[in-house]
Amino acid sequence: MDVDLTDEQEAFRRVVRDFAEREIAPYAEEWDRQHTFPVDTVRAMGDLGLFGLPFPEEYGGSDADFTTFCLAVEELGRVDSSMAITLEAGVGLGANPIYTYGSDEQRARWLPDLCAGQALAAFGLTEPDGGSDAGATRTRAKLDDATGDWVINGSKAFITNSGTPITSVVTVTARTRGPGDSEISALMIPTGTPGLIVEPPYRKMGWHASDTHGLTLQDCRVPEANLLGSRGAGFKQFLATLDDGRVAIAALAVGLASACLEQSVAYCNTRNAFGGAIGRFQAMAFKCADLAVAVENARLLTYKAAWMKDHGRHIRQAAAMAKLYATEAAVTATREATQIFGGYGFVDETPVARFYRDAKILEIGEGTSEVQRLVISRELGLPVR
């Protein structure tokens, strides 16, 4: 594995960083305070080509590798986790299953707008009573032989990008046979479909500019052709999808932790106390040193997993390791940065306060830290029961 990025990737990183510093950073605090989902900025991310990165040119993508996509997520995460998760979920959870498992007709219908960032897709797996136990799906879909429609009933929880003005389709998992049967399939529901009810947005600790809703499905009908992939393969499909998503979440965490390190070093060099810059004190210097080590380790784990994905390797364990380490490092980084900033770190005058609130969900979403440890232990060959 070559730890150096290519010249093209480095140039791309600079482009995304410039965009993030210019178009996102000046407004992130206001969006956070007002709980605003910035549609125009998301579309600008589409104009930059971010939503189409890993997809073929025939759908409006740029055929970039997965590592390049992770670079984009990292650079957005460096200034605003809300916009980083909008990209990560829109590509990894929304568009990627359609590309990976969809028919030619489904790809042609949905992917061009998704790749252009003119529309967003959402992924409905989690349920109110399921959480990490995603296999406990209660949502059901029954095929109406008279009309050829799937009739879907159930509910989903914590669904990113599900209620934005530009959301075009939500893919949900549902049991597609009788009670007691374990068959789970994936079904695509266009927004505006009768019976698809988008609940009011959650009041969240962080990610205030990210769109997150619960969904209720009441006799929601979609054509039989809206089945995504093979009947009964939905759960397996989305477990594979989550492997990729965990690497991208790790990249977001790397960006957030990097921002904490940068902010902490700058503050330690400019904040004076007891006759000089606080960075001369071992207590502050060692915090920054430990942050630097954590960021480097998180980045290496993350980009090793991305490299493995690009080379067709099995990534389940590598993805779990990257997400586990990087997200826990990010939470620690925000706590330490807040401590370094002292009282200023506790008020919204400084970005680290927002970073602190945004970080915790990284240890929960797309598989909790406990689930990552479970995945790793099983990949090591430890018994399931």
Side-chain angles (χ1 to χ4, degrees):
M1 176 183 174
D2 188 346
V3 296
D4 291 324
L5 298 173
T6 66
D7 291 343
E8 291 79 7
Q9 287 170 330
E10 290 287 6
F12 174 76
R13 182 196 285 278
R14 289 192 293 272
V15 168
V16 180
R17 178 169 294 197
D18 177 70
F19 174 87
E21 295 281 4
R22 180 169 33 87
E23 302 293 340
I24 296 177
Y27 313 105
E29 189 276 331
E30 179 183 353
W31 296 337
D32 176 78
R33 177 167 31 87
Q34 298 182 354
H35 293 237
T36 298
F37 181 79
V39 174
D40 289 344
T41 301
V42 173
R43 285 178 169 150
M45 288 159 55
D47 292 339
L48 192 61
L50 302 188
F51 286 96
L53 279 170
F55 303 114
E57 294 179 2
E58 65 181 292
Y59 302 114
S62 54
D63 241 342
D65 59 20
F66 188 69
T67 297
T68 299
F69 172 64
C70 287
L71 289 173
V73 174
E74 178 188 339
E75 288 302 322
L76 296 186
R78 182 174 160 271
V79 299
D80 184 16
S81 292
S82 289
M83 290 298 93
I85 194 59
T86 297
L87 174 65
E88 189 277 331
V91 173
L93 300 181
N96 185 47
I98 299 173
Y99 171 68
T100 304
Y101 305 111
S103 65
D104 290 340
E105 292 77 11
Q106 289 168 337
R107 292 177 177 180
R109 177 180 178 185
W110 300 108
L111 285 179
D113 284 345
L114 296 176
C115 289
Q118 295 303 303
L120 291 172
F123 161 93
L125 175 64
T126 303
E127 297 194 355
D129 295 326
S132 294
D133 186 8
T137 298
R138 294 187 179 182
T139 298
R140 296 195 173 277
K142 182 178 180 180
L143 191 59
D144 184 340
D145 293 329
T147 62
D149 290 339
W150 289 104
V151 183
I152 312 169
N153 285 279
S155 58
K156 299 293 179 179
F158 314 125
I159 310 304
T160 303
N161 294 342
S162 59
T164 79
I166 58 174
T167 301
S168 62
V169 63
V170 179
T171 302
V172 302
T173 52
R175 295 190 179 277
T176 45
R177 289 194 187 276
D181 193 283
S182 61
E183 179 181 276
I184 296 176
S185 303
L187 297 162
M188 302 175 63
I189 307 175
T191 54
T193 298
L196 172 61
I197 301 167
V198 180
E199 302 293 345
Y202 293 103
R203 293 181 59 192
K204 299 173 293 186
M205 179 168 68
W207 284 5
H208 289 167
S210 167
D211 176 89
T212 319
H213 298 262
L215 303 174
T216 298
L217 303 158
Q218 293 182 350
D219 291 330
C220 184
R221 289 178 170 266
V222 297
E224 185 175 3
N226 282 33
L227 180 72
L228 183 64
S230 303
R231 178 168 174 167
F235 189 63
K236 181 179 179 181
Q237 291 169 0
F238 282 112
L239 285 181
T241 298
L242 286 174
D243 286 339
D244 294 356
R246 287 166 179 167
V247 182
I249 288 289
L252 194 166
V254 170
L256 180 57
S258 297
C260 290
L261 175 60
E262 292 168 14
Q263 296 266 341
S264 296
V265 170
Y267 191 74
C268 283
N269 278 321
T270 56
R271 171 66 169 169
N272 291 315
F274 304 103
I278 63 172
R280 75 188 194 282
F281 295 118
Q282 188 179 88
M284 297 294 102
F286 280 16
K287 284 184 185 295
C288 291
D290 288 343
L291 285 180
V293 173
V295 169
E296 187 70 9
N297 283 334
R299 180 172 282 116
L300 288 170
L301 276 171
T302 299
Y303 286 99
K304 177 186 176 183
W307 178 88
M308 291 173 65
K309 162 73 176 175
D310 286 332
H311 287 77
R313 309 285 180 84
H314 177 72
I315 67 165
R316 180 149 297 165
Q317 179 173 283
M321 286 181 170
K323 183 183 186 295
L324 174 63
Y325 187 89
T327 59
E328 293 193 348
V331 170
T332 298
T334 61
R335 185 181 68 249
E336 295 288 36
T338 302
Q339 190 71 17
I340 288 170
F341 273 74
Y344 288 108
F346 195 67
V347 297
D348 286 336
E349 180 179 334
T350 50
V352 295
R354 172 166 50 87
F355 295 164
Y356 199 1
R357 289 185 287 102
D358 285 343
K360 182 57 190 174
I361 188 60
L362 297 174
E363 294 180 319
I364 299 171
E366 297 200 33
T368 63
S369 289
E370 291 75 16
V371 166
Q372 305 314 313
R373 289 181 167 91
L374 182 62
V375 170
I376 294 166
S377 64
R378 288 180 176 176
E379 289 290 311
L380 291 173
L382 295 174
V384 175
R385 290 181 177 86

